[in-house]
Amino acid sequence: MRRVVVTGMGVVSALGSTAAEHCAALEAGRSGVGELEMPDVERLSVRIGAQAREFRGEDRFSRSELALLDRATQMALAAADEAVAQSGVSFAGEAGLRAATVIGTALTGMGTIDEAYRAVFQEGKNRVHPFVVPRLMVSGPTSNISMRHGLRGPAWSVSTACSSSNHAIGQAFHMVRAGMADIAVTGGAEAPLVFGVMKAWEGLRVMARDACRPFSRNRTGMVQGEGAAIFVLEPLEAAQARGAPILAEIAGFGMSADAGDIVQPSAEGAARAMRAALEDAGIAPEEIGYVNAHGTGTAANDRTECEALRAAFGAHAERLMVSSTKSMHGHCLGGAGAVELAAVIHALREGVIPPTINFEEPDPECALDVVPNEARRAELRAAMSNSFAFGGLNAVLVARRFEG
Amino acid sequence: MSDEVMRKIVEIIAAQALISPEEVKPESSPEELGVDSLGLVEAVFAIEEAFDISVPFNANDPTSGEFDISSVEKIAQGVRTLIAQQKG
């Protein structure tokens, strides 16, 4: 089987509108969480979120383009442009026929739906914009990336709630590794910071009102974020042959289903996905130095994830560095795994582990090294990135530092 | 009014626990009656709708909040307080 490497990476998040800005903020331990700005915000009981404030579609797309692009697709396109440019790859001619596009998104274009519903239900209008349908499709990011870059091979969207990105990246990785595609553009995107979505999350009563404090005893829940991260994956030999930058190697991918509860996570299911990813990578647990945790900051996730890490890593769990970068970029739902893989790749390349910020009080039920509050220098050989979803769908990626 | 508060809360808890209202005792906890964490979130929603109040309840740590959910009676007391505060 072919070795698969990442040759391009692009990010849009509350931390910045390029991969470099996103990663610099992660290193600095800077929070992207702030007061939400949106219509009717005064009717929300949770008014904070990690909005990508600096990302304005109007700066990048024409008016006629914007009519067809939900904010999630706009962010995905910007991240894809960055990734493809860094990779230096061309999809012209035959190359495009063997190029896959696999993007994870949990929700459809919620901003588009919110706006259209507001028009017909609240304002009593009898018509909505003619392109509401193509703009809101959950497959919008995939279609638009493939159209913009001429990717004419296998293309589809993956929607597995908060694991969407990892499932997408994992499937793209397996396709390239197995030779089913010669290159893949993959990642995830989500733009859920709209009134209707926030109202829905309020209902579950798992949202923090001040800050996201993963693994901290005084944590009160999750903070929603938005963003996109896109990667170019290709076989090592092809990347070397064309002198492409090699950012990291994707080494393994594991999936599992809890087959348990629709909202409560299972340590057993999560641990099985981690073991499956290690086995797929052919890596011993002891080789993993860092885990970018799912780490939502809810009582249930963080406790269960720590239990699962202990089950999957045994005694080595005590030596692992485990951080949740959601404390900084918020929970980007279907885009989460992608913006977190960017953090993992940066950690592997630069030897800087992003911290879990807002950490105030150790929790005996989460007693692992959670890299509290400040980034740490450490040389890594391999790292893991966890995503677990409502409905028990788990997806775990393992990446390795590339040593040429 | 107070009896009406209790009657309505008993009805909401009973509906979540899939039992008849007669089986709901004031001293019972929702958990004892078979209401799981999701059921509790739905019950709090039903209470908010029924009394047009906002209940401070975080599902992350249901027992540590400002709203006591340790028994049906405590819930009723809390609701009466919230009604007085929010609609008084």
Side-chain angles (χ1 to χ4, degrees), chain B residues 3-75:
Chain B
D3 285 342
E4 177 57 20
V5 168
M6 189 63 177
R7 190 192 64 74
K8 189 69 202 166
I9 287 168
V10 165
E11 190 185 302
I12 288 167
I13 301 282
Q16 282 301 329
L18 303 173
I19 56 180
S20 72
E22 295 76 49
E23 294 172 74
V24 178
K25 303 282 173 280
E27 63 277 15
S28 314
S29 73
E31 200 179 349
E32 286 161 6
L33 295 168
V35 179
D36 65 7
S37 60
L38 268 188
L40 201 53
V41 169
E42 275 201 275
V44 171
F45 167 71
I47 288 169
E48 289 183 321
E49 287 288 288
F51 299 104
D52 191 24
I53 54 172
S54 175
V55 177
F57 172 81
N58 187 330
N60 281 296
D61 197 356
T63 55
S64 80
E66 306 131 76
F67 188 70
D68 191 343
I69 47 111
S70 59
S71 73
V72 176
E73 177 54 36
K74 295 277 191 214
I75 292 172

Side-chain angles (χ1 to χ4, degrees), chain A residues 78-137:
Chain A
D81 283 355
E82 186 186 0
V84 170
Q86 181 179 31
S87 166
V89 70
S90 165
F91 299 107
E94 294 291 306
L97 296 174
R98 298 274 303 157
T101 317
V102 194
I103 309 297
T105 310
L107 307 170
T108 58
M110 297 311 294
T112 302
I113 292 182
D114 219 52
E115 213 172 277
Y117 279 2
R118 208 179 270 279
V120 292
F121 296 138
Q122 191 176 1
E123 296 163 14
K125 291 186 177 170
N126 280 324
R127 62 178 70 83
V128 295
H129 191 279
F131 302 151
V132 164
V133 170
R135 200 164 69 189
L136 67 73
M137 298 189 301

Side-chain angles (χ1 to χ4, degrees), chain A residues 27-403:
Chain A
E27 269 198 48
R30 183 168 71 72
S31 170
V33 175
E35 295 286 325
L36 284 172
E37 289 170 16
M38 65 171 68
D40 292 332
V41 70
E42 66 284 355
R43 288 177 57 204
L44 295 172
S45 66
V46 174
R47 295 177 192 170
I48 58 168
Q51 276 181 308
R53 291 219 180 115
E54 283 165 31
F55 182 83
R56 285 177 300 270
E58 303 74 45
D59 299 343
R60 291 172 186 262
F61 303 100
S62 70
R63 222 184 116 158
S64 56
E65 285 174 316
L66 284 175
L68 286 156
L69 307 174
D70 183 81
R71 183 165 170 83
T73 304
Q74 295 168 28
M75 294 193 294
L77 281 171
D81 283 355
E82 186 186 0
V84 170
Q86 181 179 31
S87 166
V89 70
S90 165
F91 299 107
E94 294 291 306
L97 296 174
R98 298 274 303 157
T101 317
V102 194
I103 309 297
T105 310
L107 307 170
T108 58
M110 297 311 294
T112 302
I113 292 182
D114 219 52
E115 213 172 277
Y117 279 2
R118 208 179 270 279
V120 292
F121 296 138
Q122 191 176 1
E123 296 163 14
K125 291 186 177 170
N126 280 324
R127 62 178 70 83
V128 295
H129 191 279
F131 302 151
V132 164
V133 170
R135 200 164 69 189
L136 67 73
M137 298 189 301
V138 74
S139 46
T142 301
S143 293
N144 281 286
I145 288 172
S146 97
M147 287 156 60
R148 189 171 175 98
H149 295 284
L151 306 166
R152 292 179 289 158
W156 74 100
S157 290
V158 178
S159 186
T160 50
C162 301
S163 294
S164 301
S165 278
N166 271 12
H167 275 120
I169 296 163
Q171 288 180 57
F173 156 62
H174 278 176
M175 283 197 86
V176 174
R177 186 173 71 175
M180 296 163 73
D182 284 340
I183 191 163
V185 174
T186 185
E190 202 84 76
L193 298 179
V194 299
F195 184 75
V197 178
M198 292 302 292
K199 261 292 162 217
W201 277 99
E202 258 182 42
L204 276 170
R205 295 172 183 272
V206 292
M207 305 279 282
R209 287 175 199 221
D210 61 339
C212 177
R213 308 180 186 287
F215 308 117
S216 192
R217 191 174 186 158
N218 60 346
R219 66 191 181 275
T220 55
M222 53 193 278
V223 172
Q224 234 56 318
E226 63 174 352
I230 304 290
F231 307 87
V232 176
L233 306 189
E234 56 187 307
L236 172 61
E237 282 183 14
Q240 283 175 324
R242 64 182 191 81
I246 296 177
L247 311 183
E249 177 175 359
I250 303 294
F253 173 50
M255 302 181 259
S256 72
D258 295 344
D261 193 89
I262 197 70
V263 292
Q264 291 297 334
S266 144
E268 184 272 336
R272 270 194 293 123
M274 292 186 222
R275 284 194 206 100
L278 290 169
E279 192 178 324
D280 189 54
I283 280 182
E286 292 71 27
E287 284 184 63
I288 302 285
Y290 167 60
V291 177
N292 186 295
H294 189 54
T296 55
T298 63
N301 175 82
D302 295 2
R303 185 174 57 220
T304 307
E305 185 166 11
C306 289
E307 188 187 334
L309 283 162
R310 285 215 161 85
F313 284 91
H316 184 63
E318 309 305 324
R319 290 187 294 277
L320 279 176
M321 291 174 281
V322 178
S323 75
S324 169
T325 49
K326 286 188 177 76
S327 57
M328 293 176 270
H329 52 60
H331 190 345
C332 300
L333 306 181
V339 300
E340 289 158 24
L341 181 62
V344 166
I345 289 172
H346 185 73
L348 287 166
R349 289 182 79 194
E350 305 296 330
V352 179
I353 313 302
T356 305
I357 69 161
N358 303 321
F359 185 87
E360 292 181 339
E361 222 182 305
D363 180 349
E365 291 192 287
C366 305
L368 296 173
D369 175 3
V370 300
V371 196
N373 301 321
E374 274 180 40
R376 195 180 303 164
R377 283 224 154 264
E379 291 301 311
L380 297 173
R381 292 171 63 194
M384 173 179 278
S385 183
N386 285 341
S387 283
F388 312 128
F390 271 0
L393 312 182
N394 310 305
V396 175
L397 292 166
V398 169
R400 213 183 336 231
R401 184 171 67 196
F402 181 73
E403 292 164 75

